[in-house]
């Protein structure tokens, strides 16, 4: 499934209304990036551009100019070029941009210096993502200069330059039914991948073998793109938050942390599970694991409409800090938990936030605060909840806890009634994980129990 052109049209329609006839918006597409001679990194369309247009090619530029006599949605695109298309793949060209992407008008990129300034002429406000594209920014300034030079003809240049983020990113924050279908699909496929890793993991395997299996499981289910490079971190590698080397042996007695999620039509999933390489948690691993899970459940209980964004983080911090004291990792020196939290005594063990918006970008756009206050959650928002604990190998704590890194991350949709856990198909109760890894028939129930539990809150 793809987002329909009808939906892209509706998105643009709402923006055109918000911009008004006094304004215009320019959104550039992403560019191909050279990896080395004749080879590019895999192309990924810029999320703002993709959300607005659905147009998949690099270098294009979209302009919204409400009520302009030449049409209020104009695309500049790569021209048709039979020779280049033979080497690099088909292009839609201006005709395809009009016919298949519903542009009112489309031009080859070579015409942009001539045509684009006319779309901005005598409009007061220009919305544009300033500072995002180093090569494109000076071109926008050049078009403004060109318009200013025409003052004696009675033409003015936009005088109000507004970052397009607020307008676009507020709209991107609330997901449509079609977007949710894609996000559910991405989470379902990733969850199946995570379950496969739990089943196949054995001591002596290499981290990259688990990575390879995850990529394989996603691709064979139709999700070839990952939302970010998978993290497969055995033992103390899990204490490196963005570990991506994924090339060490997985050792008997260690945990492995897997943070991996595929994309569907650009929409991300972002799931983390931590499980024992040999299928059985040690007592110390289990204590810390259960603590992180309790923190995650406490945070999920705050994922409901009307709660401020930081309620989830606060709930996780409360549980984690109490637990660190109880287990003897943190000396409270007679102080209350509230005081320890205020002084950030948890920081050596928990140094990141409890979640982020999720959407076309894995760390999706959208403000977390409004007028200085944490914003309130609303139905249609999607986010992650991902508390963790990371005990450095040289931490001054009881030895059994050293070098353990745990994170549990789920993808959440805020609904009218509470929350839907999009990533519910991968077990997270320690008993359910052990059962799945042991290949017990109840393993299947693990996923089902997780599913049942997620609906408790719906
Ligand atoms: N995988 C990136 C994150 O969890 O934020
Ligand atoms: Mn995340
Ligand atoms: Mn993650």
């Amino acid at each position: 499934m793809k987002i329909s052109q009808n939906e892209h049209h509706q998105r643009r329609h709402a923006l055109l209304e918000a911009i008004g006839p006094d304004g215009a918006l320019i959104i550039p597409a992403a560019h191909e990036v050279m990896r080395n001679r004749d080879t590019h990194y895999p192309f990924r369309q810029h999320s703002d551009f993709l959300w607005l247009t659905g147009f998949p090619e690099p270098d294009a530029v979209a302009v919204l100019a409400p009520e302009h006599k030449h049409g209020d949605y104009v695309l500049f695109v790569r021209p048709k070029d039979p020779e280049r298309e033979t080497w690099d793949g088909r292009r839609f060209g201006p005709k395809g941009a009009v016919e298949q992407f519903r542009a009112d008008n489309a031009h080859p990129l070579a015409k942009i210096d001539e045509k684009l300034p006319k779309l901005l002429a005598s409009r007061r406000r220009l919305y544009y993502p300033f500072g995002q594209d180093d090569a494109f920014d000076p071109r926008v300034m050049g078009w403004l200069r060109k318009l200013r030079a025409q003052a004696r003809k009675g033409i003015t240049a936009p005088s109000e330059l507004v970052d397009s983020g607020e307008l676009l990113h507020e709209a991107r924050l609330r997901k449509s039914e079609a977007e949710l279908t894609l996000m559910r699909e991405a989470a379902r496929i990733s969850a199946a991948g995570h379950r496969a890793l739990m089943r196949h993991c054995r001591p002596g395997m290499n981290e990259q073998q688990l990575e390879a299996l995850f990529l394989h499981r996603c691709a064979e289910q139709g999700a070839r793109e990952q939302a970010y490079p998978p993290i497969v971190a055995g033992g103390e590698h899990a204490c490196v938050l963005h570990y991506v080397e994924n090339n060490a042996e997985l050792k008997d007695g260690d945990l492995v942390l897997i943070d991996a999620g595929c994309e569907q039509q650009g929409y991300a999933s972002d799931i983390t599970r931590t499980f024992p390489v040999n299928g059985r948690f040690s007592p110390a691993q289990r204590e810390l694991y259960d603590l992180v899970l309790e923190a995650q459940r406490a945070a999920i209980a705050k994922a409901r409409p009307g709660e401020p964004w930081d309620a989830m983080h606060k709930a996780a911090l409360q549980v984690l800090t109490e637990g660190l004291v109880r287990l003897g990792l943190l000396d409270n020196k007679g102080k209350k938990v509230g005081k320890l939290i205020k002084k950030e005594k948890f920081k050596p063990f928990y140094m990141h936030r409890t979640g982020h918006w999720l959407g076309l970008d894995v760390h999706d756009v959208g403000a977390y605060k409004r007028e200085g206050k944490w914003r309130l959650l609303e139905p249609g928002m999607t986010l992650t909840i991902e508390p963790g604990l990371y005990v450095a190998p040289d931490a001054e704590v009881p030895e059994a806890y050293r070098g353990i890194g745990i994170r549990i991350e789920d993808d959440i949709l805020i609904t009218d009634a509470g929350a839907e856990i999009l990533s519910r198909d991968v077990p997270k109760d320690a008993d359910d994980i052990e059962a799945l890894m042991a290949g017990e028939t109840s393993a299947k129930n693990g996923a089902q129990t997780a599913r049942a539990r997620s609906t408790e809150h719906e």
Side-chain angles (χ1 to χ4, degrees), residues 228-229 231 242 259-260 270 272 356 362-363 384 386 407 409:
Y228 54 93
I231 296 169
H242 289 162
D259 183 346
D270 180 10
T272 308
H356 49 82
V362 60
H363 291 177
T384 68
E386 51 178 303
R407 178 163 65 256
E409 175 173 32

Side-chain angles (χ1 to χ4, degrees), residues 95-123:
K95 195 158 170 272
V98 169
E99 287 171 1
Q100 297 185 54
F101 295 89
R102 297 178 61 171
D104 296 324
N105 236 314
H107 308 287
L109 279 161
K111 295 263 186 205
I112 198 166
D113 289 330
E114 175 197 330
K115 303 266 185 198
L116 194 144
K118 292 181 182 155
L119 297 167
L120 310 182
S122 299
R123 288 171 188 257

Side-chain angles (χ1 to χ4, degrees), residues 110 116 135-136 208 220 344 374 454:
L116 194 144
F136 201 80
Q208 64 192 260
E220 74 179 358
E344 298 193 329
W374 293 109
S454 79

Side-chain angles (χ1 to χ4, degrees), residues 138-349:
R139 303 193 65 189
V140 175
M141 294 306 146
W143 298 325
L144 293 179
R145 260 198 307 277
K146 190 167 172 178
L147 287 169
R148 285 183 195 133
Q150 298 180 56
R152 281 184 302 279
K153 283 195 219 162
I155 293 172
T156 56
S159 57
E160 253 182 74
L161 306 182
V162 185
D163 189 279
S164 53
E166 173 115 12
L167 206 60
L168 253 79
H169 298 169
E170 274 304 294
R172 278 178 54 189
L173 185 54
R174 297 172 187 82
K175 272 60 178 183
S176 70
E177 269 315 311
E179 291 179 297
L180 292 174
T181 300
L182 291 170
M183 291 185 70
R184 286 190 183 99
E185 183 72 359
R188 188 188 63 70
I189 292 172
S190 295
H194 277 271
R195 288 200 309 273
L197 303 200
M198 287 177 183
R199 279 195 304 269
H200 282 82
C201 184
R202 297 285 178 274
M205 283 176 80
N206 191 286
E207 291 166 346
Q208 64 192 260
Q209 289 177 281
L210 292 187
E211 177 181 16
L213 181 58
F214 188 82
L215 299 178
H216 175 89
R217 284 296 155 95
C218 291
E220 74 179 358
Q221 293 186 77
R224 191 176 162 220
E225 311 297 340
Q226 295 290 305
Y228 54 93
I231 296 169
V232 181
E236 65 187 55
H237 294 140
C239 299
V240 178
L241 295 180
H242 289 162
Y243 177 78
V244 287
E245 290 162 49
N246 299 1
N247 59 4
E249 186 182 316
L250 293 164
K251 300 208 180 79
D252 199 354
D254 276 353
L255 296 176
V256 58
L257 179 155
I258 317 267
D259 183 346
C262 67
E263 268 183 11
Q264 266 304 48
Q265 302 295 329
Y267 288 87
S269 58
D270 180 10
I271 303 177
T272 308
R273 289 294 184 267
T274 310
F275 56 86
V277 169
N278 65 13
R280 287 260 160 218
F281 287 90
S282 74
Q285 289 167 348
R286 175 85 191 229
E287 281 171 339
L288 290 185
Y289 186 88
D290 286 346
L291 178 56
V292 175
L293 186 57
E294 188 192 339
Q296 206 226 16
R297 292 232 160 90
I300 290 176
K302 296 289 182 191
R304 48 179 61 250
E307 287 286 349
W309 169 261
D310 71 332
M312 298 175 286
H313 187 50
K314 280 188 171 158
L317 287 182
Q318 182 74 27
V319 172
L320 290 175
T321 309
E322 278 173 15
L324 287 169
V325 172
R326 189 174 67 239
L327 297 177
L329 283 91
L330 196 59
D331 181 1
N332 65 351
K333 300 199 174 112
K335 294 202 180 71
K336 294 219 165 86
V337 167
K339 192 91 184 222
L340 299 176
I341 293 175
K342 213 164 176 190
K343 293 206 164 257
E344 298 193 329
K345 293 292 184 194
F346 54 83
K347 265 262 168 86
F349 306 103

